[in-house]
Amino acid sequence: MGSFYLTSPELDILIDCFSLSYSGYDSDEESMAATTATEESVDLERILEASPIQSFAFDFDLTLSRIHVYNARVEADHVPERWRDDLPYSDELSRILRGISASGRSWCVVTFGQPPVVTAYLEQMGFRKEEISVYSPLAGNQRYSEELSPPADKNAFLASIAESGGLRAESIALFDDDQRNVAAAVNAGFKGAVVHPGIGMSLDNFLAYHDQAATRAPVKRKKKSK
């Protein structure tokens, strides 16, 4: 077979064709991604509007974060250089939290960690200080010691959320990787979902945890006999 040569104009036309085809492929991918994101946002909005949960209380270490931030001794000034590694699905988490607020519901972080450190992570995600509520037994950068131990559960914080918001216990849900905290919350009449530790709060994960919490009937407290 003889050699085949393309003249410069023919080569330019061929390159243009490949370029158009490739750019069209990119456009299709971008369009599909945008459509998927829109559909997910609609699903989140629809589910939140119908949700029996009015206030979402998230644990932080190993629930929203990949690592146990408190045990790793992360300080607030360390956060800007490491927050994306420590928070899986940070963009999806931001959409979840903003979606909760947009639906007229509330969210907060209930942690045994240090409030300034948790706040620093949320600020890196674009939240303003006035949008952030963190409940913790620690004040500032305080750490546990022989004189100060973490409480047995998070029920006192959940009760404070109920009182300040004028909410019934069954309208508040705790999302926590520690099943003891969730069990205590449910036994006290709150809702709850046990989170898989360290995998982050993607939209799919949140919707699954939401279904778990929303459909779990609160424990009926027996009345004490007189």
Side-chain angles (χ1 to χ4, degrees):
M1 181 181 290
S3 299
F4 177 73
Y5 297 97
L6 287 174
T7 64
S8 181
E10 291 170 330
L11 185 59
D12 289 343
I13 292 171
L14 187 60
I15 290 172
D16 287 344
C17 288
F18 277 116
S19 297
L20 285 171
S21 176
Y22 185 76
S23 64
Y25 178 75
D26 281 350
S27 298
D28 288 345
E29 278 196 332
E30 290 171 2
S31 177
M32 288 175 64
T35 300
T36 301
T38 301
E39 289 173 349
E40 289 176 344
S41 296
V42 169
D43 284 344
L44 177 63
E45 181 180 349
R46 176 177 53 79
I47 288 168
L48 287 172
E49 284 180 353
S51 177
I53 301 169
Q54 294 297 317
S55 185
F56 295 78
F58 296 95
D59 171 51
F60 189 76
D61 291 333
L62 296 176
T63 293
L64 302 184
S65 66
R66 187 191 309 277
I67 64 168
H68 198 291
V69 171
Y70 176 84
N71 287 349
R73 291 186 171 269
V74 177
E75 298 178 8
D77 58 359
H78 301 159
V79 172
E81 64 188 24
R82 61 179 298 157
W83 71 278
R84 284 197 179 276
D85 289 334
D86 292 348
L87 293 182
Y89 308 108
S90 58
D91 291 341
E92 292 186 39
L93 174 58
S94 178
R95 281 169 48 204
I96 292 164
L97 299 181
R98 294 193 187 283
I100 291 171
S101 297
S103 71
R105 288 157 172 75
S106 63
W107 61 270
C108 63
V109 174
V110 179
T111 178
F112 290 157
Q114 297 167 313
V117 177
V118 174
T119 298
Y121 277 97
L122 292 168
E123 285 182 322
Q124 289 298 316
M125 290 173 57
F127 292 95
R128 302 186 306 277
K129 268 192 170 66
E130 57 269 25
E131 297 178 291
I132 301 169
S133 295
V134 180
Y135 293 80
S136 172
L138 297 177
N141 293 318
Q142 189 179 24
R143 294 192 68 85
Y144 297 108
S145 63
E146 291 182 0
E147 292 76 31
L148 178 64
S149 300
D153 55 50
K154 297 181 174 178
N155 289 356
F157 300 120
L158 299 178
S160 178
I161 294 167
E163 183 178 359
S164 62
L167 301 172
R168 299 187 310 277
E170 61 267 26
S171 67
I172 300 169
L174 174 67
F175 296 74
D176 200 312
D177 68 287
D178 190 329
Q179 61 181 355
R180 294 169 298 183
N181 291 332
V182 174
V186 172
N187 286 336
F190 301 99
K191 293 185 182 297
V194 179
V195 172
H196 295 292
I199 66 171
M201 192 62 66
S202 68
L203 183 56
D204 284 344
N205 290 341
F206 170 74
L207 294 178
Y209 299 142
H210 171 272
D211 287 349
Q212 180 189 147
T215 56
R216 174 179 279 172
V219 174
K220 292 183 179 180
R221 310 293 294 276
K222 291 183 180 179
K223 293 183 179 179
K224 293 182 180 180
S225 55
K226 295 181 179 179

